[in-house]
Amino acid sequence: EVQLVESGGGLVQAGGSLRLSCAASGFTFNYYSIGWYRQAPGKEREGVSVISNSDGKTYYADSVKGRFTISSDNAKNTVSLQMNSLKPEDTAVYYCAAVIGSVVSVDYSGMDYWGKGTLVTVSS
């Protein structure tokens, strides 16, 4: 079965860093695009970053450009999100999601598989 398991969330002060990881199994990893999404209380779910494993192209929301970096390790079937210079507005539950093919926008809404999420809390 398809599984996506997030880890790495926690509590950090503003200006600090966290690295999130998404461990994938049950599908051909290099044929898929993997993305990170987040949802804060009272807000809509937001696309944060996407990587297309077939060609390595990456996409970021404007709010995180220059601060977050997405990367993929095909040997380990793992996608990571390095988050630097964290702000209180980054506080949210972060989800990993996947879909077959090459996603070309962080706004893509058709992800087929989802993890259960990991909570990131940034204090001021």
Side-chain angles (χ1 to χ4, degrees):
E1 65 183 271
V2 173
Q3 290 191 11
L4 298 169
V5 181
E6 304 96 335
S7 62
L11 174 64
V12 65
Q13 293 186 8
S17 298
L18 285 173
R19 178 181 280 116
L20 305 183
S21 294
C22 173
S25 62
F27 60 93
T28 306
F29 187 74
N30 60 318
Y31 290 170
Y32 281 70
S33 293
I34 311 293
W36 287 97
Y37 298 78
R38 66 187 182 187
Q39 187 164 26
K43 296 184 179 180
E44 295 182 352
R45 186 175 63 197
E46 172 191 17
V48 178
S49 184
V50 176
I51 184 166
S52 173
N53 283 337
S54 63
D55 57 19
K57 292 183 178 179
T58 59
Y59 306 89
Y60 297 91
D62 289 342
S63 60
V64 307
K65 286 181 179 177
R67 300 190 297 121
F68 292 9
T69 303
I70 192 169
S71 61
S72 183
D73 186 336
N74 289 341
K76 297 181 179 180
N77 285 9
T78 300
V79 170
S80 297
L81 184 70
Q82 178 66 44
M83 306 186 296
N84 298 327
S85 301
L86 283 162
K87 304 174 181 179
E89 50 263 46
D90 294 318
T91 295
V93 176
Y94 284 70
Y95 299 91
C96 177
V99 68
I100 195 168
S102 297
V103 168
V104 296
S105 172
V106 73
D107 297 323
Y108 181 72
S109 61
M111 294 294 190
D112 288 327
Y113 308 107
W114 293 83
K116 295 181 179 180
T118 185
L119 177 63
V120 172
T121 303
V122 184
S123 62
S124 60

